[in-house]
Structure formats: C-alpha cells, structure tokens
Amino acid sequence: MQVRSDGKRSGIRSLAAMTVAAAALAIGFGGQAQAAKTLVYCSEGSPENFNPQLNTTGTSFDAARPVYDRLVDFVPGTTETRPGLAESWSVSADGLTYEFKLRRGVKFHTGKTFTPTRDFNADDVLFSFNRMWKKDHPYHGVSGGAYDYFGDMGMADMLASIDKVDDYTVRFVLTKPNAPFIANLAMDFATILSAEYADALLKAGTPEKLDQEPIGTGAFSFVQYQKDAIIRFKANDAYWAGKPKLDSLIFAITPDASTRWAKLKAGECHIAPYPNPQDLETMKATPGVTLMQQPGLNVGYLAFNTEKPPFDRKEVRQALSMAIDKAAIIKAVYGAAGQPAVNPIPPTIWSYNKSIADYPYDPAKAKELLAAAGVTGEIETDIWAMPVQRPYNPDAKKIAELIQADLAQVGFKAKIVTYEWGEYRKRCQNGEHQMCQLGWTGDNGDPDNFLYTLLGCDAARPGGGNLAKWCNKDFDALVRKAQAVSDIAERTKLYEQAQAVFHEDAPWFVIAHSVVSEPVSDKVVNYKISPLGSHEFKEVDMK
C-alpha cells in the first residue's frame, strides 16, 4: 500500500477581521480590542499537562492539540486518515514493516527560552516513540512516566524496532501484523516532540518543562497558561500546511456548563462544548447560535472492579446489571440525546453485535441471583462519580444517585465518591474503586480502540485504562486475533464473538451512547464536530 499527498492545504487568509472586546474583557485582557481574528473556546477544564503521550483525557488532549502534529492525521470531522508529518508511507506484504517518508522543511516553534536550529527530521520521531518505549531512555521517567495509551494498546510488545533509515525516512517493524496501526498513529499519544528542545532542557536540568511548556510543529504555538483560567495560542506563520486563518486561539477554562452557555450567548466565547441536555431546545431557538449535533462514537459505563469481592463473581455482576433501571437513567439524565447501551462499542461503529439482548431491569431476578451466589445481607460498597461532563455522561452525580437507590433495593449500600478529574482518573486506573463511572469516545474509528484499549489484559494492569481490571483470556485472544488480520469480514466475526463474551461476563454495566451536541456562534466558519471527540481549530475561520 502506498499513500501520497502534496501535503499543502490552503493557507490563504481572508481580509475580514474581527473585534473580540467582549471576550477580552471576560478573560482579563483589559478590554483592549483585538483587530485580529481570535476564536475563544470555552473549555471545560484545566489540562493535566501539555504532552499527549502522558494523558488519556479529552480535556488534556484538546489543550495540547493546537501545538503538535503526528505522522498521520485525521481529516477534520471524520475518521479518515491522511498524511501529516509523514508525506507518504508504504507497508510490506507481510504487514510487519511500515516505512514513512517524512515531510521536509517543517519548522518547530520558537519559545521563550528555545530557538530551534534545525527542521523536523527522523531524530524527532525516534525520540518521541523511544521515550515511551525504552525504559532506559533519559526522558522515560520524566513527569511520572505513565504512558497509558502506549501501554494499554500493547505497543511495547508490538514494536520490534524503530529505525532511522536517513534524516527523512523512518522504519517501524512490528512483531506481528496490526490492522489498526496507521489509524493508531493518528491518535494523540503518537504526537511528535522536538528532540532538540528535549536535549536543551535536559542539559539545563529542567526536563519536565518539555511537558509543561510545549514546543511543536502545529498550527498554533503556545503563549500562556494560567491554571483554571486561560490558555493562549498564536498562529504559526510558518506552518507547513499554510498559516491558519485564525490569528489567535484562546481556551477560556469554564467548568460549569450553564456558565459556558451564558458566555456563548454574551459573545464571550464562540464554542461551548458539553452542554446541559435540558438546554438543547433553547439553544436551537437562540439567534446567532448554531446547535451542531451528530451521533457520538461513544459509550458511558459503570465498571465493576472484578478484583474485589463480591464483584469478582460474574453472577453478582449479572445480578447488578438487572438491578439498575437503565431506562430511568436515560430519561432523567440524557433525554432525547441518549440511547441505551447494550455492548461496549456504539452501534455507529462497524462490527457492532446486534444479536445481543440487554439484561432486563428485573430487581426480583437480581435478588434471586444474589441469593444463589450466597450474597446476602447488607453489602457496603461505593460508586465513583466523574467530576466533569461528557456527552457519554452529562451528569455523573445524578446517575450515581439513581444507581445508589436501585442497588439499595437489592441489599447494596453504596457511598458516592468523587475527586478532581485528574485524581479521579488516576485512582480509578489504579483500581481503588469498587464501582467507577467513566466512558469513552473512540480515537480512531476502529473497534480495537474500544475492545482492546479498554478491556484487553494489557490495560488491566495497575494504572491501565481497563477500569474493571478484567482479564478474560477468551476475550483477549479474540481481540488480539482481530488485530492480526486485515479482512474486515473476518475481523467483524471476531469482534462479534468478543462482545458476546463481554456480555456474559458483565465487567461493566453499560449505560448509554449519546448524540454529541455543540452550540457554536454563527461567526465561526468551517468548524466540524469530530466523531472522535476532539476539538480541532487549524482549519477554522471567523466571519
């Protein structure tokens, strides 16, 4: 297979300009009118850092994405891949060797303390991947060294070698064929960092700045970050794909959905993600606002910690799946934007198993199953509730309260627990919970990104994204086999079988898939909702 592109997207700028005094006043620019085109995005939270290799949350990915590029890119608004920093690639007949031809003349940003002396080349690719892969790499342990995506996807075992053929050719050799490999390289964890910047920071004794003061090749360069308040970016005039149409980009950090909506109506921001479902009809009728909507590639779920009794028994997990009134949750929390989930992948993705029937809501049957399993009396447990809103979970606290009430009817006394978002995710990944709410929006349009990344045995390790800590050998073998074949029909059969195993073992109570809604100012041009849950601005313009 050979993929090629001229790699040059239009960088022609409109002569129109926009004043954003309202936004400037709202976020502390002293009311100075901005003659340039500035888009203000009301983001929902502060990032953990600015290195996507270290993160798994959309909040942190969104904050870093303007700064960086990857070898492979997604066409905005789709799951279709296209060349990024690699202008072309070839794959060997056995599916083991991938050779990437790198784009020439790509410039890294200049920062406050760093000025690059060379263009992007193969050394940057090797540095970026070897940092995650090689435990003896000088940057491997920097910033905690938790490369969750790299680990959960089994990349360490998948890679046989990464070699620099020449300054503009890099060869990846795999230990076994991996059908989603190219799509995986378009994901945020595969971001390319500057090896020269890393060397300079290491010599200065401040390697951690690589992850907090980002230098990349992306459409925007990093200017300023104030925690819980603002992130500022400016257009990269030397961007290889052409200067962005926006002159600057501002993330106004606004955790509350109602406040985001109020700011959008007041003209203080232009895009307000993760709206309250009850506000959607009002948004549709508001002049100057376009409510963009599309079915989400997502799932919201409650993970049972299968390493902790009594959740280590599938009969108990099956019983609790019958004890919770899913229809009531959909009605109370999601409304018309929610669809009851049956499988761990959404029906919008290929290989969805339509033949599986959901567990019925049947508290009486649940009690019978628990009694048969010897689980009697009052069981004390917990339900963890996410502190942030997502399309797959608009109100985790309310969902937790509904589940709490349902489980009380079958003898489970559950305490609701929550933490700050980064701490919440870390503790759930370490398995501190008994029941933990989370969800997922697909990163690349492939079922592997749900089934293997979230439920494979590699991800069941401490710190891994398999929050159920569920390692089912039959399931794992099926999804691993599906990775190794390229035929879609064969992969579909394997994934359908894997979903049946999942359903029988019930490591999650799957809750819902949702329609993704984003209210956008009608001043914004060419913004697209991503099926992958990302927020992209490099091709966006303003009227």
Side-chain angles (χ1 to χ4, degrees), residues 232-314:
R232 294 184 63 205
F233 306 92
K234 65 179 180 181
N236 176 7
D237 292 345
Y239 189 48
W240 58 265
K243 183 183 181 300
K245 296 176 175 65
L246 298 174
D247 294 292
S248 58
L249 174 64
I250 294 170
F251 279 37
I253 299 169
T254 313
D256 181 69
S258 297
T259 306
R260 291 196 296 271
W261 172 224
K263 284 186 175 183
L264 182 64
K265 288 189 290 184
E268 295 172 9
C269 67
H270 303 108
I271 301 173
Y274 315 122
N276 288 321
Q278 59 266 32
D279 291 334
L280 296 181
E281 292 305 313
T282 300
M283 291 172 177
K284 290 177 182 178
T286 300
V289 173
T290 299
L291 182 64
M292 302 178 69
Q293 292 183 299
Q294 70 178 29
L297 195 69
N298 60 39
V299 62
Y301 61 86
L302 178 74
F304 302 118
N305 190 333
T306 63
E307 293 182 340
K308 293 185 176 181
F311 306 104
D312 55 344
R313 302 178 61 184
K314 76 173 183 180

Side-chain angles (χ1 to χ4, degrees), residues 411-460:
F412 279 68
K413 183 180 180 181
K415 177 184 177 182
I416 296 175
V417 175
T418 194
Y419 293 93
E420 177 273 330
W421 182 220
E423 188 72 9
Y424 179 92
R425 184 179 63 82
K426 181 176 71 176
R427 287 174 178 265
C428 280
Q429 289 182 196
N430 284 332
E432 296 182 21
H433 62 287
Q434 291 176 296
M435 293 183 283
C436 180
Q437 286 187 71
L438 208 67
W440 192 255
T441 297
D443 290 293
N444 61 16
D446 195 290
D448 178 80
N449 184 245
F450 286 82
L451 300 175
Y452 186 71
T453 305
L454 299 181
L455 293 160
C457 290
D458 280 332

